[in-house]
Amino acid sequence: MSASQPDTDQVKVRAPGKVNLALRVGGLRSDGYHGLATVFQALSLFDDLSARPAAPGSYGVSIAGDQAHLVPADDTNLAVRAARLLASRHGGEGRYGVDLAIRKTIPVTGGMAGGSADAAAALVACAALWGLDINPDELRVLGAELGADVPFCLLGSTALGHGRGDDLVPVLSRGGYHWVLALPDIELSTPAVFRRFDELNPDADPTPEPVPPALLEGLASGDVRLVAEHLVNDLEPAALSLAPHLADLLDAGRSAGALASIVSGSGPTCAFLAANEDAAVGLSNDLNALGLCRTVRRASGPVPGARQLG
Ligand code: C5P
């Protein structure tokens, strides 16, 4: 193919990161997971993935982006595992092949489902590239085998999650929400944060508290202040106990005018909800100037789940 011709064989997919507006966590279950009751919102912080045909049985991946060095570019990569899983359920890994290229924007090990977004993108891209007859529900079932957040990265928008977080129901949500995300210069491993949760809550019932009804009311009516008042993350004390200086960052966001500050998922990303877009611009400038974190991003939600571009 000449350089001037478009690469018609290439499939491009964009997948969002997420923030948990509510993350209620129950005790450890016998399967090693925790019972969750959560409200996900997909945010306009995306990873882009392109998939090109490769020889049967060949599965490769390359990673770009400022945190690319933190992501394995081998068979342990969640996107490669997604491609292999999809192939194995549709005739065998030796029947298909793919070269994946991922451009990461979602923070790596940041509590925003970056790895799950890549797996979701790979499922959508490979299904299209290989011409598989597979519907969104089937893709979500496959996604759940790869990670608890993968089904939500496929679905997008706003959803209530139960079970491991992968049993999803869409939630009515009006309006747009403007977030500032502060990315600290540390990583927190999700299993380590859940383990610390267990240490802090040795008697937790496996059934979590329900998500706050007022949060769902706020989303349904598009009342950003009501939503802000009822953001909750049961993993926050565990994340703060592993990374105490995150408390300074959360306080700084509140002082700079955020309606609410919360650790995103298992952290360490801290998410600040702003009253509107102008407030988010001001807040991100103020947080940047404080120099308490590696970088500050703005994002809005909700946005759709993993989808093909072009
Ligand atoms: O499913 P995923 O691989 O993304 O989850 C990463 C880790 O987070 C799990 O290995 C587990 O330690 C923890 N986790 C959990 N309960 C959940 C979801 C995740 O304990 N519901």
Side-chain angles (χ1 to χ4, degrees):
M1 187 175 60
S2 84
S4 60
Q5 277 178 326
D7 185 351
T8 49
D9 281 345
Q10 183 183 195
V11 175
K12 292 184 174 182
V13 173
R14 168 165 281 191
K18 59 83 187 167
V19 63
N20 300 81
L21 306 180
L23 182 52
R24 309 307 322 244
V25 181
L28 187 63
R29 309 189 316 192
S30 53
D31 64 358
Y33 277 82
H34 293 74
L36 303 183
T38 186
V39 178
F40 293 106
Q41 185 179 82
L43 294 190
S44 63
L45 208 53
F46 300 104
D47 280 358
D48 285 328
L49 174 145
S50 70
R52 287 193 173 83
S58 169
Y59 294 81
V61 66
S62 63
I63 323 282
D66 62 357
Q67 290 186 298
H69 58 287
L70 298 174
V71 181
D74 58 25
D75 267 358
T76 64
N77 185 288
L78 207 52
V80 175
R81 287 173 46 206
R84 286 185 179 276
L85 179 68
L86 184 65
S88 72
R89 300 293 163 83
H90 288 267
E93 289 185 24
R95 186 162 165 188
Y96 304 100
V98 69
D99 269 330
L100 302 172
I102 301 172
R103 172 160 287 283
K104 291 211 64 72
T105 304
I106 305 169
V108 176
T109 58
M112 296 192 67
S116 300
D118 298 348
L123 288 174
V124 171
C126 291
L129 186 72
W130 299 335
L132 303 180
D133 182 19
I134 181 164
N135 67 42
D137 286 343
E138 290 173 280
L139 269 192
R140 283 202 289 277
V141 170
L142 271 188
E145 291 187 36
L146 295 156
D149 290 338
V150 179
F152 177 71
C153 292
L154 287 162
L155 183 67
S157 302
T158 311
L160 189 57
H162 285 112
R164 297 183 316 155
D166 52 352
D167 182 1
L168 298 173
V169 184
V171 161
L172 177 63
S173 177
R174 283 205 174 78
Y177 294 81
H178 298 277
W179 295 91
V180 175
L181 303 160
L183 283 42
D185 208 2
I186 53 158
E187 294 161 51
L188 278 180
S189 119
T190 301
V193 175
F194 273 103
R195 275 197 302 277
R196 180 55 63 93
F197 173 90
D198 293 335
E199 287 161 12
L200 295 174
N201 303 276
D203 302 319
D205 191 290
T207 304
E209 295 287 316
V211 304
L215 175 72
L216 300 175
E217 282 163 32
L219 287 169
S221 58
D223 183 341
V224 64
R225 287 177 194 276
L226 190 58
V227 169
E229 235 175 86
H230 293 281
L231 296 179
V232 58
N233 181 359
D234 288 345
L235 288 183
E236 191 167 295
L240 292 180
S241 112
L242 292 170
H245 66 283
L246 293 183
D248 299 336
L249 192 51
L250 292 172
D251 285 346
R254 277 184 215 108
S255 306
L259 296 180
S261 308
I262 195 164
V263 169
S264 174
S266 57
T269 302
C270 291
F272 305 96
L273 185 55
N276 52 46
E277 191 169 3
D278 284 348
V281 172
L283 182 57
S284 70
N285 290 341
D286 289 353
L287 280 171
N288 240 329
L290 285 173
L292 288 172
C293 55
R294 181 173 61 80
T295 184
V296 178
R297 301 258 171 77
R298 281 192 296 121
S300 59
V303 298
R307 68 195 192 284
Q308 204 173 327
L309 299 175

